[in-house]
Structure formats: C-alpha cells, structure tokens
Amino acid sequence: MINKEELEKLNSYFEEKEPIEILKWGIENFYPKITLACSFQSEDLVILDMLSKIVTKPKVFVIDTGRLHQETYDLIEQISSKYNVDLSIYFPDYNEVEIMVNKHGINLFYKSIELRKLCCEIRKVRPLKRALEGMDAWITGLRREQNFTRSKVKKVEIDDINGGKIKLNPLADWNWDQVWDYIRRNNVPYNKLYDKGYKSIGCVPCTRPVKPWEHPRAGRWWWEESGSKECGLHYREVK
C-alpha cells in the first residue's frame, strides 16, 4: 500500500515524465494485477497502444452497457485484431436492468438527473466494481482538460471508492491535440464517431456530436444544466 507521503513523491516525480514512463512503473509494480479501463475514447486507445509496446499481453476491460454505438462495437473488433490483449467485457446485471426499466421506463435518464445517475450506476459503476475485483491497480484516460471536475487529476491516485486500489492517469497533463497527434503518428485505430463530430463518446441516447465552438463534453447528457456531468466511474468531490 502506498501512503500519502509516497504518493506525493510519485506525483512530483512523474509530473514531467512521459506517459509511457508511468505505464512502465505500473507494469513493473503491479502486473498482472493491473488493467486498463477502455471505453474506446481516443485517450484509452493511446494508452492501449503504449501498453502494447511494454507488455506482451496487457489486461483490458470494457463495460458494455447494452446501449453502445455500433461504431464502438466495430472498434472492439479492430482492437482485438490489431493488439494482443487480454480483453474482458463486463455487462450490467440483467435483473437490475429489468427492474429499473420496468419501474422507470426505457429512457428514464431523460426524466431527471437522479434517474440518469441510477442508470449509470447500474449499467456502468456496478460492472466496474466487478471488473476491478482481484486487481491492485487500474489505468484510465482521464485528462485535466476534459472537464472542470477533472482539473485536479493526479497521475497517480489512491482510489478510495474502489478499495484503495492505485489509479494511474498517465495522460492527465495532455491536451486534445497531443492525443490526436499520437493517434495519427502511430496509426492507432479510433472510433469513427469522431469523424462525425463526436468528441466524447458514451451510450447512444446520452451522447451527441458537438459544434466546433462547444466544449468537448457538451454532447454528454446535454439536456442537463449541471456542468459537473459525470457518470460515477471516476468519482471525485467538486469543490
């Protein structure tokens, strides 16, 4: 277990380091009990490509909410063909989904923020907990630039919500252009929804393309007025 003092030293050391250095440290210290959370956003694919260069068969998990875009499923096939990954796909508990939908409706998320968060909890957060069982660390594509709720993301964190596991955010200080420069230079497969104006990709009913002048996450739960707009996978207090 890493204590607070060690955590501060790690973040001080890694703040100016390249993402692949953080990934190497993670693999050296936690493999095989370290996994990449892949929702097939551009950031996840950059990290997957980096991981494939430092470990023979990186562990990767996907949460299939049951309402993903076809383009996302197509990308899962592409990734499975291109990279040698230990890929696990997790689904929500069908009994919980049935109860929720029968009680609140098929598109309950449009009715209130509370019901939208309930849907995210059942379809995303609870499967995440199963995906992290037996793991000591996990890797995400969180970036500080993505939203004000993520502006203080550290490159190495202790995930108290998920049992104190180590959470690595190697792209925390990268911007949008850096992500896409890497994708183009390294010929990394990406979700074709980006070519259609999407900049943040989730479930079909909860994601839309954004205008050039809009914030990248404006297309997520766009009917909500709250600017915090998170699904609960990456819980952090907003102060």
Side-chain angles (χ1 to χ4, degrees):
M1 175 65 84
I2 296 174
N3 61 40
K4 187 175 181 181
E5 184 179 349
E6 291 171 326
L7 186 68
E8 289 178 357
K9 288 181 180 178
L10 283 169
N11 276 304
S12 177
Y13 175 76
F14 282 125
E15 184 58 30
E16 302 301 323
K17 299 293 184 182
E18 291 297 315
I20 200 162
E21 296 304 316
I22 302 168
L23 293 173
K24 285 179 180 177
W25 176 84
I27 294 299
E28 289 170 0
N29 285 274
F30 302 107
Y31 189 81
K33 294 186 176 183
I34 181 170
T35 184
L36 168 65
C38 190
S39 58
F40 294 99
Q41 309 278 354
S42 53
E43 295 85 357
D44 305 332
L45 301 167
V46 166
I47 294 171
L48 175 56
D49 188 78
M50 290 180 179
L51 277 173
S52 71
K53 296 173 181 177
I54 59 177
V55 65
T56 304
K57 196 168 188 177
K59 287 182 178 292
V60 179
F61 73 87
V62 176
I63 295 175
D64 185 348
T65 64
R67 304 200 69 165
L68 301 181
H69 295 79
Q70 182 58 47
E71 288 87 346
T72 301
Y73 292 116
D74 293 341
L75 183 57
I76 291 174
E77 289 295 316
Q78 276 187 279
I79 293 300
S80 298
S81 298
K82 181 178 175 66
Y83 298 103
N84 181 32
V85 295
D86 181 2
L87 178 65
S88 297
I89 301 177
Y90 291 85
F91 296 86
D93 183 286
Y94 75 91
N95 282 316
E96 292 182 338
V97 173
E98 282 184 359
I99 292 169
M100 175 182 69
V101 168
N102 283 311
K103 182 176 181 180
H104 298 292
I106 197 74
N107 288 332
L108 66 156
F109 31 80
Y110 294 134
K111 297 177 180 178
S112 70
I113 292 178
E114 292 72 26
L115 287 177
R116 192 271 291 170
K117 288 183 176 180
L118 173 64
C119 191
C120 290
E121 168 73 21
I122 288 175
R123 292 183 184 271
K124 294 183 177 182
V125 178
R126 295 180 189 176
L128 171 67
K129 294 189 180 300
R130 287 191 284 115
L132 295 180
E133 287 178 3
M135 295 292 111
D136 292 333
W138 63 305
I139 307 163
T140 85
L142 291 181
R143 293 187 298 109
R144 295 166 189 155
E145 182 189 63
Q146 289 169 334
N147 204 13
F148 75 91
T149 56
R150 303 178 179 186
S151 62
K152 296 182 180 180
V153 165
K154 302 292 185 183
K155 293 187 177 180
V156 184
E157 298 181 327
I158 296 174
D159 186 357
D160 293 321
I161 298 298
N162 288 298
K165 299 180 193 299
I166 297 301
K167 184 176 181 180
L168 302 183
N169 308 303
L171 302 184
D173 59 344
W174 273 31
N175 60 38
W176 176 266
D177 289 337
Q178 285 175 289
V179 171
W180 281 93
D181 284 346
Y182 184 96
I183 287 174
R184 295 184 185 102
R185 284 199 324 269
N186 294 276
N187 196 29
V188 177
Y190 64 90
N191 199 316
K192 297 309 178 186
L193 289 172
Y194 286 110
D195 295 334
K196 300 177 182 180
Y198 290 77
K199 286 193 173 181
S200 181
I201 299 166
C203 295
V204 175
C206 299
T207 313
R208 67 164 174 79
V210 295
K211 302 292 191 297
W213 59 86
E214 288 184 302
H215 189 280
R217 285 184 69 83
R220 303 294 292 275
W221 311 295
W222 64 91
W223 61 91
E224 294 180 8
E225 293 183 5
S226 169
S228 59
K229 295 185 180 180
E230 294 282 359
C231 64
L233 290 178
H234 305 291
Y235 175 82
R236 60 187 63 246
E237 291 184 29
V238 180
K239 296 181 180 179

